[in-house]
Amino acid sequence: MGRPVFYRQRIRSQAASVQAKSLLTHLAAEIRARREVSPEEAWLVAYDAMRFLEQGLLELSLGQVELPCVEGLGSHFRQARRDQPEKLARLTAVADEDADLVEEFGTRVMQQARLARMIEEAYTQNALLDGNRLCLLMPLTLVALRERLKPLWLQGAKLPLAGLTRATREQMRALRGVLAVERYLQGEELITIRRELAVSKLQWSKWWRGFQDTVAAEEDAAVLAERIDLPGELIAGWQVLWQVYGEQPASKERLGKKVPVSPPAPVTSEEERLQQRLLNEHGYSPAAVRSFMQELRDLAVRLKNLDRRQGQIITFGVAADEPPGRSLNEARLLLVTLDYIIPEDWGAIKRTSPQELKWQRLERLCTQAYAQGVALSLPDLAHLLGISVDAVQNIIKKHDQVILPTRGRIADMGSTLSHSEKIIALYMDGYTETEIKHRTGHSYDSIERYLFDFSRVICLTERGMPLPQIRQATGMSRRVVTKYLNLYARFNHPDFVFRMAKIRRMVEQGDPKKNGR
């Protein structure tokens, strides 16, 4: 029993590190700190604020990309891309709720949710995804992708793809939002429904609020869809559900008294919708509403100024110069724009082997983030690619000749061979700092810092100082000092006498940062 429990704890810890760097978490923390409200209330306000940001102020949400999809909903035959009519659709390739699902249910359910979300988004924009495009968006084999989707199809989820067989299409009954609410009204446990239909807490709260609005409003589906900004097919499905289950005891118990959740007054914009909710549901004063709305507009301007191009996403990451051991609440977070999909990715699609695309995307995201001052962690990379941390580690091991600037390596936090060890090994083998820079991607400042720290440990060791005192004198962690001592034992050999002499002299020259070098 110990190993599964430890494994789940590790997954939860990894997911929590991603959640702590999300925009949604940042908004909730700011709201709670300023208004002194409960965590639940802060999250509800943050959800509404995120909706205003994504649908009212930004052209694309942080994790959205525009992708050419198959135009129309009637493409049931497999065709080459050159023969397909295409339409640009906005798809959420990465979302904050993905990390929530990993924490709660694991990577597989998260992958199901991500795939279902993108398929549904394309469908509501009168477009379809196909096998190649799914392989592009989530680098798994086509067989693995179908295995993720098959349980949802068998439950009747309407997740259409171009080229699906008639038998699969005939299994589809309704959108997931309709199926989930139907099972909830029938009395099933919510956590079971969410796990089996791959639904996050955030997504469920949106659907349930929309269903409550639908029941309370009793309007035409098309009119109501326009007012609460949900697909008309989803609204119509909920209306049918209420006709069937409305008078059943389980439904009445779940829904309670029919009270409108949203104000019945017509809403002309996302800004007006948020203002009404802040006033009527969250108890904001008019002055507090104006201040909060201005802060959101300022945030939107900051995000727009990142000069985002097609195929790029925006994400938060820990600044590369943050030392190890600092909590994420205290660490400096930076926004970066990353090329999630580039034209060359289309050529790397292989339905039976996604390894090339995985590596190319992993290397690109990691190096682009580092060039903008951010070191992504392995959980960050797993979240962006939609795979497990173990899978990311395996990919990196297969390309160990390339040094990726991950958070663990930059800060010497990991158990694998760190950047400092590789840089020192190259230096001892006679490479110049310029050659090391080209091989590792590190700046001259970073290279000099690693060499200077190694020099300090050697100096103190040769003066007879024990490890605990070296750690105290240098301010390094015990792990880092141990790595340097192991390197000293390795290179304190006649073959490296010339380089070791240069290393020893670095202490005499002083700290390169203080000397302005």
Side-chain angles (χ1 to χ4, degrees):
M1 291 297 291
R3 186 174 179 181
V5 170
F6 174 77
Y7 180 71
R8 286 299 306 154
Q9 288 175 341
R10 181 162 63 90
I11 289 178
R12 291 192 180 102
S13 175
Q14 293 165 350
S17 74
V18 175
Q19 293 166 330
K21 288 170 278 195
S22 71
L23 180 58
L24 189 62
T25 300
H26 170 73
L27 288 174
E30 287 291 314
I31 292 165
R32 189 181 179 193
R34 295 186 184 188
R35 293 189 57 83
E36 297 182 355
V37 296
S38 67
E40 294 78 10
E41 181 73 14
W43 280 104
L44 289 173
V45 178
Y47 291 154
D48 289 335
M50 279 292 292
R51 171 175 169 148
F52 172 53
L53 273 172
E54 295 176 349
Q55 300 183 21
L57 296 177
L58 301 175
E59 295 181 5
L60 293 173
S61 65
L62 272 63
Q64 271 190 333
V65 294
E66 287 186 320
L67 187 76
C69 298
V70 182
E71 186 174 11
L73 304 178
S75 180
H76 303 314
F77 301 98
R78 296 177 184 174
Q79 296 176 300
R81 187 185 174 193
R82 62 178 179 273
D83 300 323
Q84 296 171 335
E86 291 187 334
K87 175 184 180 180
L88 275 181
R90 297 178 177 182
L91 309 176
T92 307
V94 182
D96 292 344
E97 64 191 65
D98 296 343
D100 300 338
L101 284 166
V102 171
E103 179 186 31
E104 196 171 9
F105 301 127
T107 301
R108 188 182 182 90
V109 173
M110 178 276 290
Q111 292 172 339
Q112 289 180 308
R114 185 176 286 193
L115 289 168
R117 179 180 66 233
M118 292 187 289
I119 293 171
E120 289 167 344
E121 287 174 339
Y123 174 73
T124 57
Q125 297 172 68
N126 195 39
L128 294 176
L129 292 168
D130 60 5
N132 279 349
R133 289 172 173 83
L134 285 183
C135 290
L136 176 70
L137 289 162
M138 182 173 289
L140 299 175
T141 65
L142 188 58
V143 171
L145 292 171
R146 287 182 176 273
E147 287 177 349
R148 304 299 188 275
L149 292 171
K150 187 176 179 179
L152 300 178
W153 287 330
L154 289 175
Q155 293 176 77
K158 195 169 189 177
L159 299 171
L161 296 173
L164 277 185
T165 63
R166 176 179 293 181
T168 303
R169 297 198 305 272
E170 289 175 349
Q171 291 177 331
M172 301 178 189
R173 249 185 347 108
L175 295 173
R176 284 186 308 147
V178 176
L179 298 178
V181 170
E182 180 181 31
R183 292 172 60 175
Y184 189 64
L185 293 176
Q186 290 173 343
E188 288 192 44
E189 289 291 331
L190 180 57
I191 192 168
T192 302
I193 298 169
R194 293 200 301 107
R195 181 190 296 111
E196 293 181 356
L197 286 172
V199 181
S200 68
K201 292 178 181 178
L202 174 59
Q203 185 60 69
W204 169 254
S205 69
K206 291 177 180 177
W207 285 343
W208 185 243
R209 175 185 277 184
F211 176 71
Q212 290 175 308
D213 283 351
T214 299
V215 171
E218 298 180 350
E219 298 179 41
D220 177 75
V223 175
L224 186 58
E226 181 72 20
R227 181 165 72 81
I228 64 177
D229 195 30
L230 286 171
E233 184 174 342
L234 193 59
I235 302 292
W238 286 336
Q239 290 177 334
V240 172
L241 286 183
W242 187 244
Q243 292 173 2
V244 175
Y245 297 101
E247 298 303 318
Q248 294 187 8
S251 300
K252 289 183 177 180
E253 184 177 357
R254 284 279 164 93
L255 189 62
K257 186 179 179 180
K258 290 170 58 177
V259 178
V261 177
S262 297
V267 176
T268 59
S269 67
E270 285 295 330
E271 182 171 1
E272 190 174 333
R273 178 179 286 109
L274 177 58
Q275 288 175 341
Q276 289 188 7
R277 280 189 169 159
L278 291 174
L279 289 168
N280 301 330
E281 296 183 25
H282 302 301
Y284 274 59
S285 68
V289 169
R290 286 194 296 271
S291 175
F292 187 54
M293 300 296 285
Q294 186 59 51
E295 289 177 3
L296 293 177
R297 283 191 287 268
D298 292 342
L299 176 59
V301 170
R302 181 185 169 196
L303 293 171
K304 289 179 180 178
N305 287 340
L306 291 173
D307 192 24
R308 185 176 175 186
R309 300 188 303 273
Q310 185 172 342
Q312 289 187 326
I313 60 172
I314 299 173
T315 189
F316 282 94
V318 176
D321 57 0
E322 281 289 324
R326 183 168 294 178
S327 70
L328 289 173
N329 292 331
E330 299 173 344
R332 185 162 56 95
L333 301 180
L334 301 176
L335 281 167
V336 291
T337 56
L338 305 174
D339 287 320
Y340 196 78
I341 294 175
I342 60 174
E344 289 76 12
D345 286 348
W346 290 89
I349 297 174
K350 293 181 181 177
R351 294 185 169 206
T352 57
S353 178
Q355 299 307 315
E356 180 183 354
L357 180 58
K358 278 184 184 178
W359 167 246
Q360 289 179 2
R361 185 167 294 167
L362 179 67
E363 182 183 27
R364 182 171 68 239
L365 297 178
C366 199
T367 53
Q368 286 184 350
Y370 189 60
Q372 297 172 63
V374 163
L376 296 175
S377 66
L378 297 188
D380 293 335
L381 292 166
H383 172 65
L384 294 174
L385 267 69
I387 57 180
S388 68
V389 172
D390 289 342
V392 171
Q393 289 175 323
N394 291 335
I395 296 168
I396 293 175
K397 286 178 182 178
K398 290 178 181 178
H399 298 84
D400 59 356
Q401 74 280 8
V402 179
I403 303 176
L404 289 182
T406 61
R407 171 71 177 153
R409 282 179 166 171
I410 292 296
D412 285 330
M413 293 162 58
S415 58
T416 58
L417 189 63
S418 69
H419 272 200
S420 60
E421 291 173 291
K422 290 194 173 184
I423 286 171
I424 290 168
L426 289 171
Y427 184 80
M428 298 305 293
D429 283 337
Y431 289 92
T432 66
E433 290 187 18
T434 299
E435 290 171 328
I436 295 171
K437 180 179 183 295
H438 291 158
R439 280 176 169 264
T440 64
H442 272 264
S443 66
Y444 287 113
D445 288 341
S446 296
I447 294 168
E448 289 179 350
R449 179 173 63 83
Y450 287 135
L451 295 175
F452 179 73
D453 287 345
F454 183 41
S455 176
R456 285 198 296 162
V457 172
I458 290 175
C459 177
L460 296 175
T461 300
E462 293 181 341
R463 291 183 181 183
M465 190 175 287
L467 189 152
Q469 287 182 305
I470 295 175
R471 185 204 64 75
Q472 188 176 14
T474 60
M476 302 177 195
S477 68
R478 185 182 184 91
R479 181 197 297 270
V480 173
V481 173
T482 301
K483 286 182 179 180
Y484 283 138
L485 289 175
N486 291 336
L487 287 170
Y488 174 63
R490 173 183 170 186
F491 293 114
N492 190 24
H493 185 275
D495 290 347
F496 303 100
V497 63
F498 176 72
R499 282 288 178 168
M500 284 297 288
K502 293 190 69 172
I503 288 286
R504 290 185 178 97
R505 286 198 296 270
M506 289 181 182
V507 173
E508 301 172 4
Q509 297 169 4
D511 190 335
K513 286 187 178 180
K514 293 181 179 179
N515 293 338
R517 292 188 286 123

